[in-house]
Amino acid sequence: MSFFPASLETLIDKFASLPGIGRKSAQRLAFHVLALPDEEARSFADAIVDAKTHVHTCRICQNLTEDEICSICASDRRDKGTICVVSEPRDVLSIERGREYNGTYHVLHGVLSPMNHVGPDDIRIKELLNRIASEDVEEVIMATNPDTEGEATAMYISRLLKPFQLKVTRLAYGIPVGSNLEFADDATLNRAIEGRTEMF
Amino acid sequence: MSFFPASLETLIDKFASLPGIGRKSAQRLAFHVLALPDEEARSFADAIVDAKTHVHTCRICQNLTEDEICSICASDRRDKGTICVVSEPRDVLSIERGREYNGTYHVLHGVLSPMNHVGPDDIRIKELLNRIASEDVEEVIMATNPDTEGEATAMYISRLLKPFQLKVTRLAYGIPVGSNLEFADDATLNRAIEGRTEMF
């Protein structure tokens, strides 16, 4: 049953096709867009086309960029000997937010997931291997998510990296800073005990 | 801090400006759009411009339509003597879904809300009065939401309608069908008792 004009229905459908947006939310968003001034609605539409046209992946690290090489790979203040392997572009943002890490990144654009038919050729592993073969890399930090798929992906890639004889590390597991032992789950607590460090 | 390309940041900003979409969700939506095939991303953008260009309000009932007069006002199977006054276009959808009501609608596009500086001239009350003055209307059903603002709006309009000497009704209050008395709030239960009807 459709009581909305066709072009409005189409817009609602488009919003509803986005992840995490149900039919009701899509309606609300479409009504909001309809209520925008003409110019703003058009600039929303332009933003979609612009991003789609200008954004592509960095030739080196596969992160999103508008240039051939992203700002991190292009910077001469970053340590090119360390590569932090993450699954998504947003993970780069998370690590950069800490202002601690000074190496470069490699964005896989996914994780291995046999259930979803994502195999090694579907994510940017080949590009990582080419990079390690041609650049002077000392350490690769596996920073995929600490879940089953992220774990398996880190394991898979670390095996591929073995022949290169470089340092391959994994992000530390443990209790989050500022959290409460009471609410930590068993797996995390066990990992925190296993990975305990000497205080002096 | 921005580590995303400018055009991607712009797109994230656009999504984040939508109601109920936070920064993180906006990122997720923008990444989703980036991952769409070119054609689909463009058709999303087109849908925004199309809806904005083609959708306007019905000359008679102020509901959204692509034509001069909406399909309900244009239909000769609807009872033109009854007008159901709702605040938003989506409310028309809700009532139509019941397949019971056969009259026409009038969409106010808002409710009176002194807190948000929405006065009688900001919603389509004038259009309703013109319509009642020129058409042969027998009954006006006030179907604004049963909240403070919807209530006040219904009250305000019903007073304006008094001189026209027609039947002005309000949607019934009571316990929702299929619900449980245990979970009904006091106000609703009181209204349900006040509005009780004879069974035989």
Side-chain angles (χ1 to χ4, degrees), chain B residues 41-168:
Chain B
R42 183 164 290 275
S43 93
F44 196 147
D46 289 346
I48 293 176
V49 175
D50 275 3
K52 197 61 201 160
T53 314
H54 296 127
V55 177
H56 47 253
T57 53
C58 169
R59 188 167 54 78
I60 301 175
C61 75
Q62 313 297 323
N63 193 6
L64 298 175
T65 178
E66 290 186 354
D67 308 307
E68 202 198 337
I69 293 175
C70 77
S71 58
I72 293 176
C73 287
S75 163
D76 50 13
R77 287 191 296 181
R78 309 288 300 220
D79 168 19
K80 301 284 155 57
T82 311
I83 299 178
C84 179
V85 178
V86 295
S87 65
E88 299 293 343
R90 59 173 168 265
D91 298 331
V92 172
L93 183 67
S94 303
I95 295 178
E96 284 296 291
R97 222 187 286 124
R99 295 172 177 276
E100 185 82 25
Y101 179 68
N102 196 39
T104 60
Y105 293 92
H106 188 87
V107 181
L108 296 171
H109 291 275
V111 281
L112 297 178
S113 173
M115 296 275 284
N116 299 314
H117 308 286
V118 181
D121 293 337
D122 300 317
I123 62 178
R124 313 275 171 108
I125 295 179
K126 202 166 65 253
E127 288 82 352
L128 175 64
L129 298 181
N130 289 342
R131 204 174 149 188
I132 291 169
S134 62
E135 290 176 33
D136 197 12
V137 180
E138 285 156 24
E139 177 174 359
V140 174
I141 304 173
M142 299 306 309
T144 50
N145 281 324
D147 53 18
T148 322
E149 292 177 343
E151 208 55 27
T153 307
M155 197 62 81
Y156 179 87
I157 294 177
S158 67
R159 278 194 200 136
L160 292 181
L161 296 184
K162 216 158 207 175
F164 293 99
Q165 307 238 323
L166 37 78
K167 198 167 154 191
V168 179

Side-chain angles (χ1 to χ4, degrees), chain A residues 1 3 5 7 14 19 27 31-32 34 36 38 41-43 45 48-49 52 55 64-66 93 96-97, chain B residues 1 3 5 7 14 19 31-32 34 36 38 41-43 45 48-49 51-52 55 64-66 93 96-97:
Chain A
M1 267 196 305
F3 296 98
S7 56
K14 293 291 174 193
Q27 274 180 24
F31 280 122
H32 177 88
L34 271 192
L36 289 177
D38 268 352
R42 183 165 287 275
S43 93
I48 292 176
V49 175
K52 197 61 201 158
V55 177
L64 298 175
T65 178
E66 290 186 354
L93 183 67
E96 285 295 291
R97 222 187 285 125
Chain B
M1 268 198 302
F3 296 96
S7 56
K14 294 290 174 192
F31 280 121
H32 176 89
L34 270 192
L36 288 176
D38 268 353
R42 183 164 290 275
S43 93
I48 293 176
V49 175
K52 197 61 201 160
V55 177
L64 298 175
T65 178
E66 290 186 354
L93 183 67
E96 284 296 291
R97 222 187 286 124

Side-chain angles (χ1 to χ4, degrees), chain A residues 7 14 17 33-34 40-41 49 82 100 106 113 123 135 152 154 160 166 181 196:
Chain A
S7 56
K14 293 291 174 193
S17 74
V33 169
L34 271 192
E40 286 204 34
V49 175
T82 311
E100 185 81 26
H106 188 87
S113 174
I123 62 177
E135 290 176 34
L160 292 180
L166 36 77
L181 281 195
R196 66 193 181 278

